[in-house]
């Protein structure tokens, strides 16, 4: 019997096990489309390699290359989700108001939830263990993160999903960040609509698959003793702290 070779997937994804890094993996698993995945190793600074920076001028993950579109490269996780949603016709409504709502909540994640929770994580998980304990900064970013999670909670009152009536790229973008509240040490006490939304997404098989790729980090979700990962994470970024 002749062996059948799989066609090369259109999408080549470069990513790592981080909140932004999980977003396109969740999309691709949800959409059920084939993709190649290259794990970018921060410890080796692969995200700063000149060939990679040609694809992602910001020298960060994630990045996709669409081989079916002249090797077109897309960086910025929100733009990647938007591109994939248009390419595959999924998770971005066509109807104008629902589409705009999806993009509004996508932007809210990209400009608010991600950066603020990212800084809450940075000051507690990277700066502090490397000798830069900054209580004022920690307070600022933890409080602002909590405020943003309250905005999400209010939005989710009486709704299943952030935009329109369906699961969209706004949910896919927001989930990895908001769900990592244990890692950011931000309380979700009393945010019952948000917690119910977490449960709806936690149980989606595609999300469960995606969070294993490129590797699972249970400490992000408050599901593991965090000490070992804390040490690994601090080491991963220690050079960056010293350089600042
Ligand atoms: N706004 C960018 C942020 C990308 C980003 O900050 N990626 C982080 C991981 S979540 C990264 O690559 N960090 C490695 C570094 O800063 O060198 C996006 O959403 O794609």
């Amino acid at each position: 019997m002749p062996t059948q070779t799989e066609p090369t997937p259109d999408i080549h994804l470069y990513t790592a096990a981080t909140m932004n890094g999980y977003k396109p993996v969740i999309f691709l698993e949800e959409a059920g489309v084939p993709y190649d995945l290259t794990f970018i190793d921060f410890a080796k600074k692969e995200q700063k390699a000149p060939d990679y920076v040609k694809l992602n001028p910001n020298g960060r993950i994630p990045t996709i290359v669409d081989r079916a579109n002249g090797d077109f490269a897309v960086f910025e996780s929100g733009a990647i989700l938007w591109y994939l949603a248009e390419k595959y016709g999924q998770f971005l409504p066509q109807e104008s108001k629902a589409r705009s709502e999806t993009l509004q909540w996508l932007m809210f994640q990209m400009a608010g939830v991600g950066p603020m929770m990212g800084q809450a994580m940075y000051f507690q998980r990277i700066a502090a263990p490397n000798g830069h304990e900054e209580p004022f900064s920690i307070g600022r970013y933890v409080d602002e993160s909590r405020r943003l999670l309250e905005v999400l909670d209010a939005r989710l009152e009486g709704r299943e999903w952030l935009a329109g009536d369906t699961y969209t790229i706004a949910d896919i973008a927001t989930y990895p960040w908001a769900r990592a509240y244990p890692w950011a040490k931000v309380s979700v006490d009393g945010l019952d609509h948000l917690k119910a939304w977490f449960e709806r997404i936690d149980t989606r098989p595609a999300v469960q698959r995606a969070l294993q790729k490129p590797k699972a980090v249970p400490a992000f979700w408050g599901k593991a003793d965090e000490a070992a990962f804390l040490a690994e994470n601090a080491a991963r970024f220690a050079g960056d702290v010293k350089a600042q």
Side-chain angles (χ1 to χ4, degrees), residues 58-224:
N58 198 25
R60 292 190 164 197
I61 61 92
T63 305
I64 58 166
V65 173
D66 185 352
R67 297 175 174 122
N69 192 14
D71 287 337
F72 186 64
V74 187
F75 79 116
E76 281 295 317
S77 57
I80 290 171
L81 292 177
W82 191 342
Y83 181 90
L84 291 173
E86 289 191 336
K87 176 178 171 76
Y88 293 110
Q90 294 196 60
F91 309 121
L92 179 57
Q94 289 298 318
E95 190 277 322
S96 69
K97 288 181 186 162
R99 190 177 181 88
S100 172
E101 283 185 351
T102 303
L103 297 176
Q104 290 170 47
W105 288 98
L106 177 67
M107 298 301 153
F108 179 77
Q109 185 285 306
M110 291 299 296
V113 177
M116 294 302 116
M117 291 189 75
Q119 293 301 319
M121 291 174 190
Y122 179 85
F123 279 101
Q124 297 178 95
R125 301 299 191 172
I126 297 170
N130 281 283
H132 299 269
E133 181 78 43
E134 305 277 2
F136 184 84
S137 306
I138 292 171
R140 158 77 185 158
Y141 291 118
V142 168
D143 289 353
E144 182 62 1
S145 298
R146 165 75 194 196
R147 191 189 69 76
L148 294 167
L149 294 185
E150 288 172 4
V151 173
L152 292 175
D153 186 69
R155 172 67 182 177
L156 289 163
E157 182 172 1
R159 303 170 183 275
E160 277 196 61
W161 309 113
L162 286 172
D165 299 330
T166 55
Y167 177 73
T168 67
I169 53 173
D171 301 291
I172 292 174
T174 307
Y175 171 80
W177 281 104
R179 185 64 184 80
Y181 67 87
W183 189 247
K185 300 189 189 184
V186 177
S187 166
V188 293
D189 286 356
L191 305 185
D192 294 341
H193 311 299
L194 184 67
K195 286 192 237 174
W197 177 80
F198 288 155
E199 273 176 37
R200 280 194 285 282
I201 302 182
D202 284 347
T203 51
R204 293 177 75 89
V207 171
Q208 291 173 355
R209 285 196 304 278
L211 296 183
Q212 307 296 319
K213 299 178 184 180
K215 78 171 181 185
V217 185
F220 286 163
W221 329 117
K223 289 185 180 165

